[in-house]
Amino acid sequence: MSFPAFDLVVRHARVATASDTFEADLGIRDGRIVQIGTQLPAGAREIDAAGRVVTPGGVDAHCHLDQPMAPPVRMADDFDSGTRAAACGGTTTVIPFAAQEKGQSLRAAVADYHRRAEGRAHVDYAFHLIVSDPTPQVLGEELPALIREGYSSFKIYMTYDELKLDDGQILDVLAVARQHGAMAMVHAENADCIAWLTKKLEAAGQTAPRFHGLSRPMLVEREATHRAIALAELVDTPILVVHVSGREAVEQIRWARAQGLKVFAETCPQYLFLSAEDLGIDNSYLGARCVCSPPPRDKANQQVIWDGLADGLFTVFSSDHAPFNYDSPEGKKPGGQEVAFRHIPNGIPGIETRMALLYSEGVLGGRITLNRFVELTATNPAKAYGLHPRKGTIAVGADADLVVWDEGERVIRNADLHHAVDHTPYEGQRLRAWPGLTIARGEVVWDGQDFRPPSRPGQFLACGAPTLLPRVAALPARTGTDG
Ligand code: DUC
Ligand code: ZN
Ligand code: ZN
């Protein structure tokens, strides 16, 4: 009796990686791709992908799941619902945040997140750290040890009272990133400007959701982006500026790249598909659904973000999924009230719609190549956070994390999504494609109609050192701070 050579063969696929597109069969065994070729022998299971594009499963490197909030606010998605939604939208790896509260040890934060995720995730996951309290113990011991143990990226905030670091603290944390080879992610908005503008707006009675946008104009992001770049230059370490929203921050990043600085950048669907108008053109509270930071900008900025996706300015495309129900005392109406904009929980859901939005309007809309799509949604995030080549590509030895695309018209309806959020800001958006199959470690977890729980839960991934080389790597290394 002969056994099939593979557990699964995906046949006649139009395989796309970050660099190539080719026709092949993919032979999968024990959750990994073990052979790529033509006319592979039979598998125990066969999927005919003839005529369909197959890309690596998405790596969503910026999402918030079950992150503790100040009561009564609570995230709608935990690791169960959040990763189910991810799988149904073509994402097979998520990297949410283990957030340190001030006064808390980083280790305690990490242990807490493991408890939240363990056995509940349906796709693989890693954690970024959020460093909000860089004590000597954190800088000298905890952070270096955690980087070595597989938490090789962390986010620092320049705004939000409970999270923000001052410039001296940022320098200290960046120095640890440099010494231990970690990737520092920066939320760049100037906290004092936001506080000053918020007070002025409130004094004038301007508290509706749409004023959230006016409290965080582009210059607030531009100044903080400029400062973050300067701080990273001083320490001589790379940074990745997260959720870049528009022209002014983009200009800072372009300038930094032109100087040969290792500045990477992330953007998100909300800056392509939403605009300031979605926060409200009158004082309606419905705009609370689109309150996120940085806020969506005017429509002209959407093109600036598309340009940066097409020309290589952006390194990664993430969801920044931050799931809060609209009609809930735990969500956008804290305590059941329509509150002033400063009290509205920041964030919008997007973990399930990220891949299809970019595939539809980016690839099929003729704005980016298929290979660039793969780079932005899977390969680069895996490289930036030390998960490549196990994740983020289609190669022998990589995990068998795949998306088989169905092209055809579809409309986003919250009723069809799998997150636990009561709305999507993209309701009614027309798409040209949606994942027809999502395969995670060789198992179909989304069949185009239904979520299918994997036979074993998603696994924690310890991250190695980032392997994302800057496009400017060929330039001479900087030896000082003024040359
Ligand atoms: N902004 C953040 O910085 N994080 C979560 C959501 C948001 O809008
Ligand atoms: Zn942020
Ligand atoms: Zn975020």
Side-chain angles (χ1 to χ4, degrees):
M1 188 169 121
S2 71
F3 292 98
F6 306 107
D7 301 330
L8 172 66
V9 177
V10 180
R11 229 170 257 291
H12 312 302
R14 195 167 154 240
V15 176
T17 67
S19 55
D20 301 297
T21 308
F22 54 93
E23 303 276 328
D25 302 339
L26 304 172
I28 293 162
R29 196 164 52 229
D30 297 331
R32 297 215 173 195
I33 298 169
V34 293
Q35 200 171 339
I36 300 176
T38 52
Q39 300 182 329
L40 294 190
R45 184 164 179 217
E46 298 260 331
I47 291 172
D48 184 4
R52 294 158 89 193
V53 169
V54 176
T55 61
V59 177
D60 193 344
H62 187 158
C63 53
H64 303 264
L65 299 175
D66 202 12
Q67 196 171 311
M69 300 277 122
V73 175
R74 235 165 63 99
M75 287 196 165
D77 279 317
D78 61 9
F79 279 81
D80 171 23
S81 61
T83 59
R84 175 184 305 140
C88 298
T91 288
T92 51
T93 302
V94 295
I95 318 182
F97 295 87
Q100 177 197 29
E101 287 173 28
K102 287 204 199 295
Q104 187 188 32
S105 85
L106 271 179
R107 282 227 174 261
V110 168
D112 179 41
Y113 276 79
H114 274 288
R115 274 193 298 275
R116 290 165 190 269
E118 179 95 50
R120 296 177 67 74
H122 305 295
V123 299
D124 291 346
Y125 57 96
F127 293 129
H128 306 293
L129 306 172
I130 290 176
V131 181
S132 67
D133 199 1
T135 61
Q137 158 79 5
V138 164
L139 293 169
E141 289 171 37
E142 285 201 310
L143 192 48
L146 285 165
I147 293 168
R148 280 194 297 275
E149 289 168 32
Y151 308 88
S152 58
S153 50
F154 50 78
K155 184 172 175 189
I156 49 187
Y157 283 83
M158 300 173 84
T159 189
Y160 295 134
D161 287 345
E162 61 293 359
L163 296 171
K164 71 177 184 213
L165 305 186
D166 65 29
D167 290 357
Q169 291 174 313
I170 292 173
L171 289 168
D172 284 341
V173 175
L174 291 179
V176 175
R178 182 181 199 281
Q179 193 183 350
H180 298 277
M183 178 62 84
M185 309 159 76
V186 184
H187 178 132
E189 288 185 296
N190 180 310
D192 287 344
C193 291
I194 295 167
W196 187 83
L197 286 167
T198 300
K199 257 198 276 172
K200 285 216 164 289
L201 287 162
E202 285 181 344
Q206 296 179 318
T207 60
R210 74 186 171 100
F211 295 107
H212 172 78
L214 300 191
S215 75
R216 305 172 105 100
M218 278 204 283
L219 83 83
V220 160
E221 185 186 13
R222 180 232 299 163
E223 186 283 328
T225 302
H226 180 89
R227 187 157 34 101
I229 289 167
L231 298 176
E233 182 182 3
L234 192 60
V235 176
D236 188 21
T237 199
I239 52 168
L240 191 151
V241 184
V242 294
H243 45 50
V244 173
S245 71
R247 177 173 48 80
E248 297 197 14
V250 163
E251 282 168 359
Q252 296 301 316
I253 294 161
R254 283 200 194 283
W255 174 85
R257 291 274 185 87
Q259 310 308 303
L261 299 174
K262 297 175 193 115
V263 176
F264 302 108
E266 172 200 78
T267 194
C268 312
Q270 47 271 40
Y271 307 118
L272 295 173
F273 295 95
L274 302 179
S275 72
E277 286 177 15
D278 293 296
L279 288 166
I281 40 178
D282 54 19
N283 288 346
S284 158
Y285 199 72
L286 285 171
R289 292 175 301 183
C290 295
V291 164
C292 62
S293 297
R297 308 300 184 184
D298 62 33
K299 289 222 165 83
N301 274 278
Q302 296 175 342
Q303 188 55 47
V304 174
I305 300 298
W306 279 118
D307 291 345
L309 288 168
D311 70 15
L313 185 274
F314 288 111
T315 319
V316 298
F317 185 72
S318 310
S319 69
D320 198 7
H321 180 79
F324 299 104
N325 281 321
Y326 172 69
D327 215 353
S328 163
E330 295 179 338
K332 297 282 185 177
K333 297 180 182 170
Q337 306 296 316
E338 295 189 356
V339 295
F341 70 82
R342 79 149 87 200
H343 301 296
I344 299 173
N346 277 211
I348 62 167
I351 204 165
E352 192 167 353
T353 44
R354 172 186 75 116
M355 297 280 282
L357 282 167
L358 192 65
Y359 192 94
S360 293
E361 287 308 308
V363 179
L364 300 180
R367 296 177 168 99
I368 59 171
T369 65
L370 180 57
N371 309 102
R372 180 78 175 128
F373 167 82
V374 172
E375 184 174 58
L376 286 160
T377 57
T379 313
N380 276 354
K383 287 182 175 176
Y385 304 118
L387 293 172
H388 187 266
R390 177 169 175 189
K391 299 293 185 186
T393 192
I394 296 176
V396 170
D399 282 355
D401 294 344
L402 304 167
V403 180
V404 182
W405 287 90
D406 270 356
E407 296 184 10
E409 188 159 313
R410 182 177 171 130
V411 177
I412 297 179
R413 300 278 175 224
N414 198 54
D416 297 332
L417 300 180
H418 298 80
H419 59 195
V421 189
D422 63 1
H423 67 281
T424 166
Y426 309 112
E427 185 76 29
Q429 171 84 35
R430 285 186 184 284
L431 297 174
R432 305 171 206 233
W434 189 266
L437 290 174
T438 306
I439 297 171
R441 293 212 201 202
E443 290 190 89
V444 173
V445 289
W446 163 249
D447 64 11
Q449 297 291 325
D450 292 305
F451 170 65
R452 298 211 220 150
S455 61
R456 63 173 200 151
Q459 301 293 298
F460 170 70
L461 305 164
C463 295
T467 57
L468 190 63
L469 292 173
R471 284 168 189 276
V472 291
L475 294 175
R478 294 173 64 82
T479 51
T481 56
D482 57 352

